């Protein structure tokens, strides 16, 4: 479980998160939605210790963020951020291989290599393994980074807008792989999404943030509504129910 | 396979180097051959190989830490800071043993590198070419400081030795410190993955459980020690750390576990060839190796700026 307690965060005096408390149970897909600047990425970065805590606390399983060792956390949670620019010339296989670093610490073994190949296969990268990252399309590069996070083999996977650059087929394929991970292996996926329809279709729970506060939290069918869109995004869009799940008419 | 070819070519060049000099080995009294090789030719050949290999690796590591392909210690202030350290030791403690000189030079080199990295942190990431420009200016300012101190202390002719690298003074008993530089550079191979990951940025490094700051400091320490030892023994040799890692990266990528041996061999080869050229081009006189590499390196640098500018970030 990820236990977030009274978390606040400021950047240059401006509050980005205000007293957020959340419990994310183990297993399942949790989608975070909210307008730009709502604090979603900051929340993810704080959970993944990429930013130092200012006030409040975060505990992942029994690991206290800020106190647990780097390597323990690296085996427990993986984060994929939005910014995926890479100056290094690496092959896809090299990059995915670095996902195994927390286990092999620079000396990869047979098991690591097997897992790398499995990750390449799962994310449809088997033919691209030896290609340099800078020769790939945006979507292929995105998948390579997701595969790296997958190879890290952690119970918790935090993904910040992973559907950027992906076409509809790749987006659906990725969401299905993520959902399978939660169903078959009990993994927990926390994912920032902009498209509420993807959130409604694949998430078990949606958390809506606005101006650094949690304003809605629950199963997609219970919270996605005209009034949510009006309150959180200040936009008038209709929500219809098709096959039992909410669809935003854009 | 190609690695072995490189190694064989390097060995061949090194043997050629043993025969190049004012005294023709084939016409000299046989009794003098061994002392000549032992005291001059062999030390000089080994010195070029060690210098080239360690400078190329130092450049590679510096580029990964800076996440910028256009920096290297000798043109970004580390070399000049090392020279400042040697000079200050010579002024303040003229009788200091070489170990102390080297230690102080390493410390000033480390300080110079840390200052350089704190300078470039403030630069906008959208302007990657600002980083080498700031490095050149910063190195120039430190270099000017060295000249000023030397002028005040009436030691201008001494700093020539440190500011302009050359191997003509390399003799048995005066180059052995370079082995330490070689060892420092070789040790990076043990943590090759860590440095590759550092090149992917702070967020990826933390995510993978690396202590980012610790690895960066380790890298800077290695760069500083290699630079200081090189400056103390042979002087500043620019561009090796810039040209070699870029060429290797273009051909073989940036996974250090795979490329560090190639980088080391290519660096060793470049400095050895440049020294051979310097010894032959105005034979029986010599041209400093720094000058030869400066000419070759400047052309290569321009080519890289032209070709690689778009992907520099």
């Amino acid at each position: 479980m990820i236990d977030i307690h009274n978390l606040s965060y400021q950047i240059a005096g401006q509050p980005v998160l205000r007293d957020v408390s959340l419990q994310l149970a183990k297993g399942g897909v949790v989608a975070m939605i909210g307008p730009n600047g709502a604090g979603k990425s900051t929340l993810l970065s704080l959970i993944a210790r990429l930013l130092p805590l200012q006030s409040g606390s975060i505990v992942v399983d029994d690991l206290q963020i800020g106190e647990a060792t780097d390597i323990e956390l690296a085996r427990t949670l993986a984060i994929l951020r939005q910014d995926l620019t890479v100056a290094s010339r690496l092959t896809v296989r090299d990059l995915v291989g670095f996902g195994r670093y927390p286990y092999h610490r620079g000396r990869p073994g047979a098991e690591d290599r097997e897992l790398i190949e499995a990750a390449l296969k799962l994310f449809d990268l088997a033919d691209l393994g030896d290609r340099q990252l800078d020769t790939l399309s945006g979507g292929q590069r995105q998948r390579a980074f997701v595969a790296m996070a997958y190879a890290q083999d952690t119970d918790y996977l935090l993904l910040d807008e992973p559907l950027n650059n992906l076409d509809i087929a790749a987006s659906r394929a990725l969401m299905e792989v993520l959902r399978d991970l939660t169903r078959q292996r009990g993994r927990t996926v926390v994912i920032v999404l902009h498209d509420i329809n993807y959130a409604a279709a694949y998430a078990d729970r949606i958390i809506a943030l606005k101006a650094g506060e949690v304003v809605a939290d629950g199963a997609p069918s219970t919270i996605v509504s005209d009034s949510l869109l009006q309150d959180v995004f200040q936009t008038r869009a209709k929500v219809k129910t098709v096959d039992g799940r909410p669809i935003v008419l854009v | 396979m190609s690695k072995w070819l490189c190694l064989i070519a390097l060995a061949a060049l090194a043997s050629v180097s043993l025969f190049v000099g004012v005294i023709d080995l084939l016409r000299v009294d046989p009794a003098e051959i061994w002392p000549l090789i032992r005291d001059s030719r062999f030390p000089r050949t080994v010195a070029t190989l060690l210098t080239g290999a360690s400078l190329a690796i130092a450049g590679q590591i510096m580029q990964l830490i800076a996440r910028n392909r256009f920096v290297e210690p000798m043109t970004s202030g580390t070399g000049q800071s090392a020279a400042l350290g040697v000079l200050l030791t010579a002024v303040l403690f003229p009788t200091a043993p070489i170990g102390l000189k080297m230690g102080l030079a390493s410390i000033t080199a480390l300080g110079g590198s840390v200052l350089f990295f704190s300078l470039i942190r403030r630069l906008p990431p959208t302007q990657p070419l600002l980083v080498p420009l700031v490095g050149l200016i910063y190195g120039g300012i430190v270099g000017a400081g060295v000249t000023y101190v030397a002028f005040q202390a009436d030691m201008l002719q001494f700093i020539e030795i440190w500011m302009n690298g050359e191997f003509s003074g390399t003799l048995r008993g005066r180059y052995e410190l370079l082995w330490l530089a070689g060892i420092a550079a070789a040790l990076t191979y043990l943590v090759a993955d860590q440095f590759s990951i550092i090149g992917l940025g702070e967020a990826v490094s933390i995510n993978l459980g690396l202590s980012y700051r610790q690895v960066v400091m380790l890298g800077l320490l290695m760069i500083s020690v290699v630079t200081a030892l090189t400056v103390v023994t042979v002087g500043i040799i620019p561009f090796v750390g810039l040209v070699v890692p870029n060429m290797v990266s273009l051909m073989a990528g940036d996974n250090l576990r795979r490329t560090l041996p190639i980088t080391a061999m290519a660096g060793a080869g470049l400095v050895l060839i440049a020294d051979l050229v310097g010894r032959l081009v105005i034979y029986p006189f010599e041209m400093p190796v720094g000058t030869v590499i400066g000419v070759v390196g400047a052309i290569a640098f321009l080519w890289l700026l032209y070709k690689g500018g778009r992907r520099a970030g």
Side-chain angles (χ1 to χ4, degrees), chain A residues 170-186:
Chain A
S171 297
R172 296 185 65 226
L174 175 58
M175 292 308 296
E176 269 157 31
V177 169
L178 294 174
R179 191 167 57 185
D180 288 350
L181 279 176
T182 66
R183 297 288 183 274
Q184 290 160 14
R185 305 217 211 150

Side-chain angles (χ1 to χ4, degrees), chain A residues 23 30 34 53 116 165 178 215 232:
Chain A
Q23 264 104 41
V30 180
L53 288 176
I116 292 165
N165 300 317
L178 294 174
V215 289
V232 177

Side-chain angles (χ1 to χ4, degrees), chain B residues 50 53-54 57-58 179-192 222 226 260 264:
Chain B
L50 287 170
S54 51
I57 290 177
W179 282 107
L180 285 180
I183 291 168
L187 285 177
T188 57
Y189 190 68
L190 296 178
V191 282
M222 171 279 202
V226 164
L260 270 186

Side-chain angles (χ1 to χ4, degrees), chain A residues 49-50 70-71 74 77-79 81 85-90 94 98-99 101-102 104 106-108 134 148 152, chain B residues 64 67 69 190 193-194 196-197 199-200 203-204 206-211 249-250 253-255 257-258 311 313:
Chain A
R49 77 211 179 279
L50 301 184
D70 289 322
I71 216 80
L77 65 89
I79 185 169
R81 297 202 313 160
T85 46
V86 170
S88 303
R89 290 193 184 86
L90 296 170
D94 288 340
F98 288 136
Y101 177 80
H104 66 60
R107 307 277 171 282
D134 54 6
M148 173 188 178
Q152 214 175 318
Chain B
L64 284 171
R67 298 185 76 189
R69 294 201 179 281
L190 296 178
D193 268 15
Q194 276 96 319
S196 300
I197 291 171
L200 294 171
V204 174
I206 294 174
N207 174 49
L208 291 176
L210 272 190
S211 168
S249 165
L250 277 175
D254 284 327
N255 189 345
R257 199 151 15 99
R258 204 163 48 227
R311 297 198 300 202

Side-chain angles (χ1 to χ4, degrees), chain A residues 8 19 67 69 71-72 80 88-89 92 96 103 105 125 140 172 182 186 189 191 198 214 225 245:
Chain A
S8 295
D19 204 27
E67 284 170 19
T69 64
I71 216 80
E72 274 179 312
L80 179 68
S88 303
R89 290 193 184 86
V92 174
V96 175
Y103 303 90
R105 311 276 204 109
L125 294 162
Q140 291 168 329
R172 296 185 65 226
T182 66
V189 172
I191 185 167
Y198 277 96
V214 176
S225 64
R245 79 177 188 228

Side-chain angles (χ1 to χ4, degrees), chain B residues 36-84:
Chain B
L36 181 69
I37 288 185
R38 183 192 58 195
D39 295 340
S40 166
R41 300 281 171 83
F42 178 75
R44 180 166 190 163
T45 305
V46 171
T48 57
L49 295 173
L50 287 170
T51 305
S54 51
L55 284 183
I57 290 177
Q60 169 78 76
I61 301 296
M62 190 160 186
Q63 287 161 22
L64 284 171
I65 295 175
R67 298 185 76 189
N68 188 299
R69 294 201 179 281
F70 300 118
V71 294
E72 63 112 356
M74 294 298 188
T75 49
S76 305
T78 310
Q80 289 78 5
S81 303
L84 188 63

